[in-house]
Amino acid sequence: MRRVLSVIVLNEDGVLSRISGLFAGRGYNIDSLTVAPIPKTNLSRLTIVTSGSTPVLEQIVKQLHKLIPTYKVIESGQFVEKEMALVKIPLSEDFNGLDAMLKAYNGTIASSGEDFIVVMVADDYDRIDNFLKAVKKYNPTDIVRSGSVAMDI
Amino acid sequence: MELSGSQMVIEALRKENVSVVFGYPGGAIMNVYDEVYKQNYFKHILTRHEQAALHAADGYARATGEVGVAFVTSGPGFTNAVTGLATAYMDSIPMVVISGQVPISMIGTDAFQEIDAVGISRPCVKHNYLVKDVKDLPRILKEAFYIARSGRPGPVHVDIPKDVTAQIGHFAYPSEIKMQTYKPTYKGNPRQIKKAIEAIVAAKRPVLYIGGGAINSNASAEVREFAKICGIPAVETLMARGVMGDENPLLLGMLGMHGCYSANMAMSEADLMIAFGPRFDDRVTGKLSEFAKHAKIIHVDIDPSSIGKIVPIDYPIVGDLKNVVEAMIPLAKEHVDADKYKPWRDLLKRYNEIHPLKYEDSNEVLKPQWAIERVGQLLGDKAIICTDVGQHQMWAAQFYPFSYPRQWLSSGGLGTMGYGLPAAIGAKVAIPSKTVINFTGDGSILMNIQELMTAVENKVAVVNIILNNQFLGMVRQWQTFFYNKRYSSTDLSVQPDFVKLVESFGGRGFRVKTKDEFDKALKEAIESNTVCMIDVQVDRFENVLPMVPAGGTLYNMMLEYKE
């Protein structure tokens, strides 16, 4: 089962390694992990996408709570979850239909060079999956996914 | 007050009422040791290995319930200490370990004796710190002691670079702790407690399953009272030996892999398990799908992550066990009828009569169980019992008559060979009025034998009793049972002369082969009031029984082994 967790921790040295070490040491999965400070606080927000059975997910939440720098673990309720992807496409490709596709996935052209363009999309996790399948026809040379960010509502 | 980082360490320990520190100096912690030399607030005991310094602090903590403290230097000093941290972490022992680190400017340069100490200690401590600025040091030290002793206790590691110990800063030791994130739950939820009592009232075959949490929360008196009011039979884990007192008629004994028959059958046939601070270790549960499968489970623990980790729990109660049991007692008095469980108690008593803990004694060769029983007869509650790890540890847990908590000090979770001697030193330093016995094996004792020097130098009169079967006995036992007697690397018959060895350190040695010799040696060892080692030549092939094979079921124990 896939689960998004929003973990609020003290923004201090080594906190990320405590979290990742907890997952590694206990054999839990991290599908994606994003971190950034929360403005005007001494806290950071980690968005962790993980997976496992219900007892495993319950234990992950409890173990995260147990870490001394953990302020809050938000695990239930509704999240707005978004992910970003950057895709490098050679200019030699036929871009027919690309504009419509970008529009459909909240995308834009983020950069361009002598022989490539970089497109950026920001959308739901599973829609990013769909986009990356669809964009294959332009033979992308590089793809970078950001991992999820989530906000509880 | 302006102080150097090193002076702050000393002052913090004074504020925390630390009376003894175990440790070993080295380059990166020399500034601190220079202040140790100048102060007279606490005694410093120089061990001969950093691992032993931590085990000694651990033994001190287990014997007293106070925070044990150790100093080590950077690099190999710290890596030697890791086993001590892991041992304390697995058994939830409150400790503060302060290590030296290379100067901040040299961190990350692979400097001489540099190691990522906080990176290494992270999985085996409750929390750790790398101090980067002397102004943070008073707060960090205060937090370290607070975290070590509060909630579920555990070791806390503070790594201090050498330049921070030299820096001058303002020392204002916080009088109280205000942590934004760490807030253990001490009071159990009243609704859950009420439900638990209702479950007890509804039960026909309840059993108290007592774990190490009962000792950590100093809840022994409350647990005994609760058991008595309810008339509920009790079983103890290895870590909980001494909570009920072996004279208590409600105590069935230790449960688990080498537990007694009645205790394991009680778990298997119970319809309600009242778990007071255990962690459902695999050495206790055996095959999980068959563990207490008829029972609803009440689990009280201060650590929420312990609840439901191994088995599903019907009545979870997060809180300090002492508080929770105190809250349960008046409800139990009002609602629970102890007479109702008499048939259940009688059945378990019958199990105990049919299959008591036993061994075949002999007058030709000394039996290790006899030696332990004999020490128990002679010393009883006058002794604190430490052990190393292996067969002797299980026999001591089975056959010594424990009567109070903190009388039994043994590495349960990690199973650390080499723990016994330094832990015994820590316990004797903590409580000099008690006789401290370290039951050890011929394998275990050699893992920290150098600590005889620490004991002799500091006149810490511990009595080491080697139950010498010239084998790595527990591994040999498994090889006998499960590996068709292929004794791969377990024969330890090439041995030092333990008597000469202890004498070379300045202690007294005895070698015994008969019961009379044993009695005489034990008496002399205790009366000599010096560091002693009694090398007891015991039956080489004695096995620890009963036994639940790993992954087996508690109700299907091996009660005897025949060739």
Side-chain angles (χ1 to χ4, degrees), chain B residues 353-368:
Chain B
E353 286 162 1
I354 298 168
H355 296 299
L357 276 178
K358 63 180 180 187
Y359 62 94
E360 267 184 46
D361 200 6
S362 162
N363 285 321
E364 284 156 28
V365 58
L366 272 178
K367 293 295 182 128

Side-chain angles (χ1 to χ4, degrees), chain A residues 90-149:
Chain A
L91 278 177
S92 55
E93 293 295 318
D94 175 4
F95 289 160
N96 192 18
L98 182 61
D99 265 357
M101 196 191 292
L102 289 178
K103 200 173 276 180
Y105 288 96
N106 301 315
T108 184
I109 294 173
S111 184
S112 63
E114 278 184 9
D115 52 2
F116 64 86
I117 59 166
V118 175
V119 300
M120 179 191 86
V121 289
D123 213 322
D124 298 350
Y125 161 81
D126 46 358
R127 282 177 53 82
I128 294 282
D129 270 354
N130 292 339
F131 173 79
L132 293 179
K133 277 181 203 155
V135 84
K136 270 187 187 165
K137 70 175 181 181
Y138 301 109
N139 297 310
T141 56
D142 205 359
I143 296 173
V144 177
R145 290 181 76 150
S146 67
S148 288
V149 292

Side-chain angles (χ1 to χ4, degrees), chain A residues 8-10 12-15 17-18 21 26 42-43 55 58-59 62-63 65-71, chain B residues 89 119 122 125-130 132 147 152 179-183 303-310:
Chain A
I8 315 295
V9 295
L10 287 179
E12 62 179 22
D13 283 356
V15 71
S17 127
R18 269 184 225 288
R26 292 183 179 266
N42 60 344
L43 302 169
E58 190 179 315
Q59 193 54 216
K62 284 180 172 176
Q63 292 292 341
H65 266 297
K66 193 172 164 181
L67 294 175
I68 306 287
T70 301
Y71 178 66
Chain B
Y89 181 62
R122 195 165 288 135
V125 293
K126 186 173 171 187
H127 195 51
N128 62 9
Y129 297 89
L130 170 63
K132 287 187 169 170
I147 291 169
R152 179 179 183 168
M179 291 181 72
Q180 192 178 358
T181 54
Y182 172 67
K183 293 183 178 85
D303 177 3
S305 73
S306 259
I307 298 179
K309 183 170 66 176
I310 308 292

Side-chain angles (χ1 to χ4, degrees), chain B residues 76-207:
Chain B
F78 178 74
T79 54
N80 282 346
V82 170
T83 301
L85 283 174
T87 303
Y89 181 62
M90 290 291 277
D91 289 345
S92 307
I93 304 304
M95 267 170 57
V96 170
V97 175
I98 294 173
S99 60
Q101 180 57 277
V102 300
I104 290 171
S105 59
M106 295 172 78
I107 290 177
T109 66
D110 298 328
F112 177 65
Q113 295 197 328
E114 184 194 352
I115 197 77
D116 174 11
V118 290
I120 289 176
S121 74
R122 195 165 288 135
C124 49
V125 293
K126 186 173 171 187
H127 195 51
N128 62 9
Y129 297 89
L130 170 63
V131 185
K132 287 187 169 170
D133 191 323
V134 74
K135 75 174 167 37
D136 297 328
L137 192 50
R139 172 188 59 82
I140 285 174
L141 290 167
K142 179 76 182 177
E143 283 182 6
F145 277 89
Y146 174 68
I147 291 169
R149 64 164 72 97
S150 60
R152 179 179 183 168
V156 179
H157 167 216
V158 183
D159 195 34
I160 315 180
K162 191 170 184 180
D163 47 351
V164 175
T165 58
Q167 277 171 9
I168 304 293
H170 181 66
F171 181 77
Y173 201 63
S175 56
E176 58 178 316
I177 285 291
K178 285 180 191 159
M179 291 181 72
Q180 192 178 358
T181 54
Y182 172 67
K183 293 183 178 85
T185 304
Y186 291 103
K187 296 273 183 202
N189 181 310
R191 202 180 312 152
Q192 286 297 91
I193 289 173
K194 193 162 166 271
K195 278 188 190 169
I197 294 291
E198 285 166 7
I200 294 169
V201 171
K204 289 182 179 152
R205 298 185 307 277
V207 62

